[in-house]
């Protein structure tokens, strides 16, 4: 403070100026490029600046595929490969108790998980057949539907990657930015363009975003992954509340059909639901709004600590009002229109069953068991659909498939053939509501097995609760989400019953695989007004082998105690802890 300033200051201010107090240590920078500069503050940010993840493709094709796994540079292997959809998979035989104690190179095998990017979930039967044949030829017949509309293959050798890319790209598919600190696959409504009750078709927007921005070097170094969800269907079928960027179709009272804008959702170990910005996005504004929000994440996102590098943390600090202001003032150059929230969904968003399209044909939503299929099944499915007059299908954010354009007289024959392929169009409530992440079979982060656990639980619950199903006492919808670790790829906090993999103590002192239980979570749906996270009960943990016992017990308790019209989630949040054990 200068002498002139002191002369005009109050006595207290002057005294404070003369008596120097110890200054607080300066807050560490967050690594925000627009605030702190672009100097890297950790090793991850350093290698991303040294060489873009997009550049590793040339080395894969010209060096690594010719000289094998042992020739791969460590930073490329554990970093840049992700920009092309490649992760090393878990070495067989390593139990979950060692996940947190072994180094990545001790956990990993010399094979890869390869993620095929499917924006909007849109596939032709030709594309499906190519993916299936790649699986048969190069992936030991593995194929998993993910809850982000992708298909994942396993047991991939680096030597085979160039040929896999050649086959995928020949039919318009890719693995570009399927993983990494980039804009990941764009979730889209599985019934876009064909549903009778659709508000707006997001297909042109999804295609524009994919063509303009995926693989763009300007957006290929974000603080961390960035997830997009866009729907124009009133069921709100793309889990927008847990995505970084979400657009939900709605009709503005003055401006017509467009989108409600949501920003900053993500789960993992610190779950946060996205926030509405209160802005209505016109269709011709949508691409620029996406670019603006994505650029805010690039420029203002936190890069110093990986654990704080998701957009949700910036939203938590800024709040929706400030975020919208910076979006409009610094990135768009115009004000967005205000808009009301979209109405509560009126129909289920998984699209299971048989439904008439707006053109008079039908779509059929069918579910495998927890997303697990095989390459052989995919090839057979493509043949089956074509024989019944369909050449299009969609993957969904719920590990399901939706077959499009089925002629009326082919519906029932196709439903039967799908069932024979392991895809049920009329599933039990448990098969319909169960999803599972990759789990310890292939994932280096996992602690417990998930796919077999899910299949076993579904079969047991169908048998044990057949009496409730026959008497129509079971709820119409009940979600059971099984995750192999705390990271919530299977969205455990937004399930009726969410299960987080962990090692649990046993009476003899040896840890064994089990789950922490979350109850009563969910996203906006026809039975729920708005999204909410599940409840955890102290000490409520279940061994893997006891999972069917627990679910049977809590479902029977719900059926016995529920009030009229009460959903499982409502009951679970209101119940005494003892009723949930």
């Amino acid at each position: 403070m200068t002498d002139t300033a002191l002369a005009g200051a109050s006595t207290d201010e002057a005294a404070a100026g003369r008596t120097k107090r110890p200054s607080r240590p300066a807050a560490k920078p967050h690594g925000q490029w627009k605030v702190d500069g672009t100097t890297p503050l950790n090793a991850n940010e350093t290698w991303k600046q040294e060489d873009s993840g997009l550049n590793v493709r040339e080395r894969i094709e010209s060096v690594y595929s010719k000289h094998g796994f042992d020739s791969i540079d460590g930073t490329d292997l554990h970093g840049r490969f992700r920009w092309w959809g490649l992760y090393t998979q878990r070495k067989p035989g390593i139990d979950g108790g060692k996940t947190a104690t072994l180094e990545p190179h001790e956990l990993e095998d010399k094979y890869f998980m390869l993620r095929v990017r499917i924006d909007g979930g849109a596939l032709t039967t030709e594309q499906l057949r190519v993916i299936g044949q790649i699986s048969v030829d190069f992936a030991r017949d593995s194929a998993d539907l993910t809850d982000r509309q992708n298909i994942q293959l396993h047991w991939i050798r680096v030597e085979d990657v160039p040929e896999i890319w050649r086959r995928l790209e020949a039919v318009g598919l890719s693995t570009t930015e399927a993983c990494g600190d980039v804009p990941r696959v764009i979730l889209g409504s599985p019934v876009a363009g064909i549903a009778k009750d659709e508000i707006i078709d997001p297909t042109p927007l999804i295609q524009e975003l994919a063509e303009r921005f995926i693989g763009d070097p300007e957006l290929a170094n974000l603080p961390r992954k960035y997830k997009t969800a866009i729907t124009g269907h009133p069921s709100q079928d793309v889990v927008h509340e847990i995505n970084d960027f979400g657009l939900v179709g709605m009709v503005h009272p003055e401006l017509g059909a467009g989108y409600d804008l949501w920003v900053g959702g993500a789960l993992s170990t610190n779950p946060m639901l996205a926030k509405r910005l209160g802005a209505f996005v016109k269709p011709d504004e949508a691409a620029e709004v996406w670019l603006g929000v994505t650029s805010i994440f690039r420029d203002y996102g936190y890069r110093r600590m990986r654990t704080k590098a998701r957009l949700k943390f910036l939203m938590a600090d800024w709040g929706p009002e400030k975020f919208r202001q910076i979006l409009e003032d610094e990135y768009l150059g115009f004000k967005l229109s205000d808009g009301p929230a979209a109405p509560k969904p009126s129909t289920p968003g998984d699209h299971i069953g048989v439904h008439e399209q707006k053109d008079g044909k039908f779509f059929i939503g069918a579910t495998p068991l927890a997303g697990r299929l095989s390459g052989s099944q995919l090839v057979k499915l493509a043949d089956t659909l074509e024989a019944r007059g369909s050449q299009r299908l969609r993957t969904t954010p719920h590990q399901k498939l939706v077959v499009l354009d089925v002629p009326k007289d082919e519906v029932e024959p196709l439903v039967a053939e799908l069932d024979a392929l392991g895809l049920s169009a009329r599933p039990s409530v448990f098969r319909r509501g169960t999803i599972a992440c990759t789990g310890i079979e292939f994932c280096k982060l996992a602690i417990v097995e998930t796919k077999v656990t899910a299949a076993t639980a579904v079969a047991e619950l169908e048998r044990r609760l057949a009496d409730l199903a026959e008497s129509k006492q079971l709820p119409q919808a009940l979600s059971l989400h099984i995750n192999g670790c705390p990271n919530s790829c299977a969205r455990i906090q937004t399930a009726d019953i969410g299960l987080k993999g962990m090692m649990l103590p046993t009476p003899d002192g040896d840890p064994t695989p089990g789950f922490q239980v979350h109850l009563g979570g969910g996203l906006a749906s026809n039975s729920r007004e708005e999204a909410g996270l599940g409840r955890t009960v102290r000490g409520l943990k279940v061994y893997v082998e006891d999972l069917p016992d627990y679910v049977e017990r809590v479902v029977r308790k719900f059926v016995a105690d529920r009030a009229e019209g009460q959903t499982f989630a409502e009951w679970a949040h209101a119940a005494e802890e003892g009723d949930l054990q």
Side-chain angles (χ1 to χ4, degrees), residues 323-335:
F323 196 102
R324 178 175 171 178
Q325 179 185 351
I326 289 177
L327 172 65
E328 293 172 338
D329 294 350
E330 295 187 25
Y331 291 87
L332 295 180
F334 61 87
K335 297 293 184 183

Side-chain angles (χ1 to χ4, degrees), residues 24 60 464:
R24 295 179 179 176
I60 292 173
R464 296 183 188 195

Side-chain angles (χ1 to χ4, degrees), residues 98 166 211 243 339 409-410 440 461 485 493 554 558 567:
K98 296 179 180 176
R166 186 194 68 78
E211 290 168 6
N243 279 261
D409 59 356
E410 300 285 6
I440 202 170
L461 292 168
C485 78
Q493 299 98 331
V554 76
F558 159 67
T567 66

Side-chain angles (χ1 to χ4, degrees), residues 492-512:
I492 53 175
Q493 299 98 331
T494 59
D496 287 309
I497 303 174
L499 301 159
K500 178 173 74 178
M502 61 194 310
M503 298 301 288
L504 299 179
T506 60
D508 61 11
D510 293 326
T512 192

Side-chain angles (χ1 to χ4, degrees), residues 124-328:
T124 65
T125 48
E126 180 188 22
Q127 290 172 326
L128 182 70
R129 185 179 292 107
V130 166
I131 296 172
Q133 196 60 51
I134 288 171
S135 170
V136 171
D137 293 345
F138 303 113
R140 300 189 189 180
D141 209 25
S142 64
D144 285 338
L145 300 180
T146 77
D147 59 7
R148 292 201 60 78
Q149 294 184 280
N150 297 309
I151 295 178
Q152 290 183 176
L153 309 178
H154 297 281
W155 301 109
I156 300 295
R157 303 185 316 142
V158 71
E159 292 89 341
D160 298 323
V161 170
E163 172 61 14
I164 292 171
W165 281 338
R166 186 194 68 78
R167 294 192 193 184
L168 290 172
E169 291 165 4
V171 293
L173 293 171
S174 81
T175 67
T176 309
E177 296 185 342
C179 315
D181 297 352
V182 292
R184 302 282 185 94
V185 67
I186 302 166
L187 297 189
S189 171
V191 295
I194 59 107
K196 295 171 74 172
D197 55 347
E198 184 174 53
I199 299 165
I200 184 171
D201 182 2
T203 303
L205 172 60
I206 292 172
Q207 291 173 341
E208 179 183 359
L209 295 179
E211 290 168 6
R212 284 180 62 186
F213 302 120
I214 303 310
D216 180 354
E218 292 297 312
L219 299 176
N221 181 1
L222 302 179
R224 277 195 72 186
K225 57 189 172 185
Y226 180 76
K227 297 180 177 181
T228 298
I230 304 173
T231 183
H233 194 262
S235 65
Q236 300 179 18
D237 48 7
V238 293
V239 298
H240 62 278
E241 303 101 324
I242 54 173
N243 279 261
D244 298 281
F245 177 94
L247 291 177
V248 178
M250 61 170 296
V251 178
H252 191 283
E254 286 88 37
L255 301 173
Y259 299 99
D260 188 24
L261 175 59
W262 295 65
V263 175
L267 294 178
S268 192
T269 55
N270 194 339
M272 299 183 195
L273 297 173
K275 305 295 185 185
R276 287 189 63 245
L277 297 197
F280 177 78
V281 178
K282 301 172 188 175
D284 62 355
E285 298 170 338
E288 295 310 310
V289 170
W290 182 91
L291 178 60
V293 173
T294 309
S295 300
I296 287 176
F297 183 42
R298 178 194 62 201
D299 298 342
Y300 285 105
Y302 301 154
R303 293 176 181 262
R304 182 173 65 87
M305 296 173 60
R306 294 284 288 176
T307 54
K308 297 287 186 181
R310 291 296 301 275
L311 184 58
K312 62 185 177 182
F313 294 104
L314 182 66
M315 174 59 78
D317 288 345
W318 278 7
E321 185 176 342
K322 178 179 178 179
F323 196 102
R324 178 175 171 178
Q325 179 185 351
I326 289 177
L327 172 65
E328 293 172 338

Side-chain angles (χ1 to χ4, degrees), residues 426-464:
R426 297 181 177 114
S428 70
V429 66
F430 299 108
R431 179 164 176 155
R432 181 173 184 170
T434 296
I435 68 173
C437 72
T438 300
I440 202 170
E441 182 180 10
F442 297 117
C443 179
K444 300 189 299 291
L445 300 178
I447 299 167
V448 304
E449 202 287 325
T450 55
K451 296 292 189 182
V452 173
T453 299
T456 301
V458 168
E460 279 292 300
L461 292 168
E462 287 175 342
R463 180 181 64 82
R464 296 183 188 195

